Amino acid sequence: AQTVTQSQPEMSVQEAETVTLSCTYDTSESDYYLFWYKQPPSRQMILVIRQEAYKQQNATENRFSVNFQKAAKSFSLKISDSQLGDAAMYFCAYIGSGGGADGLTFGKGTHLIIQP
Amino acid sequence: GAGVSQSPSNKVTEKGKDVELRCDPISGHTALYWYRQSLGQGLEFLIYFQGNSAPDKSGLPSDRFSAERTGGSVSTLTIQRTQQEDSAVYLCASSLDIAGGSYEQYFGPGTRLTVT
């Protein structure tokens, strides 16, 4: 079974600074997809960024980028120029290329605090 | 277009009662997922529907849980004889047909279930 580990229960960063959230995973599959989701207090889970395992290039979405290290099974999220609206729980998630039958496997989450 | 909608937003019920939670996926999304989010267990995958195909129910926590999807669209998660440990946020997500290679799941706002 796949597992996803987020070792940082909570992170704090000053507004406008850069922060990196860590995620590692364990899988025996060679093809899969990784995601970062954001969950603010409103409870709505919002997709931040996705990475296909077969792509060597790291995904980027505006201020959000990932550092995907396939051999190390590491998938960290970097948030540049942090904004107050970035404050939320961040979840790393995995799904195999076999499709949705097993759903997403989530980490326990990292609570990100933005200091004004 | 409209996102994933769920109803009710909040539900308080007495132990032993049955509850029904509803999910309306994004139009055109053939895949639908249910997850449970609780403090102790984090985010757990419950069940997955692909179109009109019969789902794999092995992820459901107990035989008190059942789910159906009518006409390949709206889904209902039913919990019979609710127990206090069923208290959680129940999240629904949908995605495009996985055959198209898109595994991005879009989540609804969830239903917070409280069993007293």
Side-chain angles (χ1 to χ4, degrees):
Chain A
Q2 293 79 19
T3 58
V4 177
T5 302
Q6 293 179 250
S7 59
Q8 306 152 316
E10 186 172 281
M11 292 282 285
S12 181
V13 64
Q14 291 289 129
E15 193 176 2
E17 297 288 301
T18 295
V19 63
T20 298
L21 308 184
S22 301
C23 172
T24 59
Y25 58 94
D26 189 23
T27 182
S28 58
E29 297 182 90
S30 59
D31 197 14
Y32 47 86
Y33 297 77
L34 296 164
F35 304 89
W36 279 96
Y37 280 90
K38 167 185 176 181
Q39 188 179 41
S42 67
R43 213 168 62 199
Q44 181 84 47
M45 196 78 80
I46 301 164
L47 178 64
V48 175
I49 199 165
R50 87 174 218 166
Q51 175 78 45
E52 294 90 338
Y54 62 84
K55 289 187 178 179
Q56 292 188 345
Q57 186 173 6
N58 289 323
T60 299
E61 288 287 341
N62 300 313
R63 298 183 295 107
F64 299 87
S65 62
V66 299
N67 183 4
F68 174 49
Q69 301 289 329
K70 190 173 184 179
K73 296 180 181 175
S74 171
F75 181 61
S76 61
L77 174 70
K78 185 170 84 171
I79 305 174
S80 303
D81 186 25
S82 299
Q83 300 176 359
L84 293 177
D86 296 333
M89 283 292 293
Y90 284 81
F91 293 94
C92 178
Y94 167 104
I95 194 166
S97 63
D102 294 327
L104 287 163
T105 300
F106 287 91
K108 294 290 188 185
T110 296
H111 181 210
L112 179 63
I113 298 167
I114 310 295
Q115 304 279 6
Chain B
V4 177
S5 60
Q6 291 186 248
S7 60
S9 178
N10 292 282
K11 176 72 176 178
V12 180
T13 190
E14 292 180 352
K15 178 182 172 181
K17 300 282 191 183
D18 298 352
V19 294
E20 283 190 354
L21 313 180
R22 176 188 167 106
C23 172
D24 206 335
I26 293 171
S27 177
H29 281 194
T30 59
L32 186 148
Y33 307 79
W34 283 98
Y35 296 86
R36 179 169 70 173
Q37 185 174 26
S38 60
L39 282 176
Q41 300 298 319
L43 279 150
E44 303 171 84
F45 167 68
L46 299 179
I47 195 166
Y48 154 74
F49 293 89
Q50 177 58 43
N52 293 318
S53 302
D56 176 357
K57 301 180 181 180
S58 61
L60 294 174
S62 77
D63 58 9
R64 296 184 295 103
F65 286 71
S66 63
E68 64 178 18
R69 189 178 186 191
T70 53
S73 182
V74 173
S75 176
T76 302
L77 178 68
T78 300
I79 309 173
Q80 295 179 310
R81 305 180 302 282
T82 52
Q83 303 294 312
Q84 287 186 330
E85 62 261 29
D86 299 333
S87 295
V89 174
Y90 290 82
L91 295 168
C92 175
S94 70
S95 70
L96 289 168
D97 187 342
I98 59 172
S102 173
Y103 298 92
E104 296 175 6
Q105 294 182 25
Y106 296 88
F107 284 79
T111 294
R112 180 179 296 281
L113 175 66
T114 303
V115 182
T116 61

